[in-house]
């Protein structure tokens, strides 16, 4: 079969092979083996490395792993590769996609979202702005939650429906909670609540600005949601320095 794919991970295997974790629009996450790829004269060159967006040909045999028979680069994101912070953010984005969408269920929107995030990281590589980079990574993660059907409830108390006095966030309730329902929640302020609402409503290119403490609350809310509803713990969205 022929498909587009983003390389999420690329692991050395045996003498000269690589095992690839690929994310595809129509087949979700798939595993593939590329034979002889680490030999100097491999026809695949260096394009089976993480974050490459490829047009890839795969042979489906009896094994669970498909065999790579051809690959062309759609995007190599070369600038991203020269910036340690962008490279790290790309690895975290790919890790989140691979773990939150680990089956063959198709989510073409997630594929597009990942490609957009990689393109943005490539575009922003080499520019300073730590808070903006963290805000971007968290916006991406919120959009992944939405695609997974796990978007937190933000419009009213997730427990009783009260629209005012929303003071906490509860992973178990699945969103913000009011003062009467705050047991088991952690405090969240208006800016963090606002950031989540805006980030979910806006494009990835238009990430709302926020301070580091606000982003800390957002990250905690995302982690609590994932832990309660997907039993998943991701690495932090952003490494810091
Ligand atoms: Zn309530």
């Amino acid at each position: 079969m022929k498909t587009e794919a983003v390389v999420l991970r690329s692991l050395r295997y045996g003498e000269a092979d690589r095992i690839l974790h690929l994310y595809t629009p129509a087949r979700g996450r798939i595993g593939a083996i590329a034979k002889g790829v680490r030999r100097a004269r491999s026809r695949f060159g260096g394009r089976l490395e993480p974050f490459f967006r490829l047009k890839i040909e795969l042979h489906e045999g009896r094994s669970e792993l498909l065999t790579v028979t051809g690959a062309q680069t759609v995007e190599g994101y070369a600038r991203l590769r020269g910036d340690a912070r962008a490279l790290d953010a790309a690895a975290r984005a790919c890790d989140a996609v691979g773990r939150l969408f680990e089956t063959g269920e198709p989510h073409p929107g997630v594929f597009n979202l990942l490609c957009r995030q990689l393109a943005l990281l490539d575009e922003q590589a080499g520019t300073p702005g730590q808070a903006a980079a963290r805000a971007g990574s968290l916006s991406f993660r919120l959009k992944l939650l939405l695609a997974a059907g796990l978007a937190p409830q933000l419009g009213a108390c997730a427990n009783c429906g009260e629209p005012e006095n929303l003071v906490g966030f509860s992973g178990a309730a699945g969103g913000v909670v009011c003062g009467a329902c705050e047991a088991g929640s952690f405090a969240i302020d208006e800016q963090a609540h606002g950031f989540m609402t805006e980030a979910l409503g806006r494009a990835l290119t238009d990430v709302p600005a926020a301070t580091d403490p606000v982003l800390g609350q957002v990250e905690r809310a995302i982690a609590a949601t994932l832990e309660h509803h997907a039993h998943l713990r991701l690495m932090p969205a952003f490494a810091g320095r």
Side-chain angles (χ1 to χ4, degrees), residues 25-237:
R27 296 271 300 258
R29 198 182 88 162
I30 54 180
I33 184 163
K35 291 184 175 154
V37 69
R38 280 157 52 218
R39 294 204 176 94
R41 285 164 174 249
S42 166
R43 68 207 152 102
F44 298 123
R47 63 175 71 88
L48 300 183
E49 298 290 326
F51 324 132
F52 268 88
R53 178 176 177 176
L54 306 168
K55 270 188 182 152
I56 200 163
E57 285 170 47
L58 299 157
H59 173 73
E60 216 164 352
R62 262 180 267 167
S63 154
E64 216 171 279
L65 290 175
L66 284 73
T67 304
V68 181
T69 53
Q72 291 173 290
T73 304
V74 177
E75 283 291 346
Y77 306 115
R79 285 204 294 175
L80 178 162
R81 286 163 207 283
D83 178 328
R85 190 176 67 193
L87 208 55
D88 181 73
R92 286 164 198 265
C94 285
D95 178 73
V97 167
R99 293 179 60 200
L100 200 46
F101 301 92
E102 60 180 354
T103 67
E105 198 186 322
H107 289 280
V110 171
F111 177 81
N112 291 333
L113 193 61
L114 178 60
C115 291
R116 275 204 292 276
Q117 177 68 352
L118 292 172
L120 264 177
L121 290 171
D122 191 61
E123 206 175 284
Q124 293 160 356
T127 60
Q130 187 140 301
R134 187 178 184 198
S137 293
L138 289 170
S139 290
F140 174 70
R141 210 166 262 198
L142 280 166
K143 286 175 180 293
L144 288 185
L145 287 189
L146 182 64
L150 297 173
Q153 186 174 325
L154 301 169
C157 174
N159 196 44
C160 75
E162 162 69 41
E164 305 286 332
N165 189 26
L166 302 167
V167 294
F169 189 95
S170 161
V176 291
V177 288
C178 73
C181 300
E182 69 177 334
S185 72
F186 62 89
I188 195 163
D189 59 34
E190 240 172 82
Q191 290 101 307
H193 186 180
F195 178 92
M196 291 194 281
T197 307
E198 286 183 29
L200 281 168
R202 290 192 196 176
L204 266 183
T205 44
D206 188 22
V207 170
T211 62
D212 225 37
V214 166
L215 294 175
Q217 290 184 6
V218 171
E219 179 138 25
R220 190 169 171 195
I222 294 172
T225 303
L226 280 172
E227 209 165 323
H228 272 277
H229 300 285
H231 307 291
L232 198 62
R233 258 187 213 198
L234 297 178
M235 54 172 132

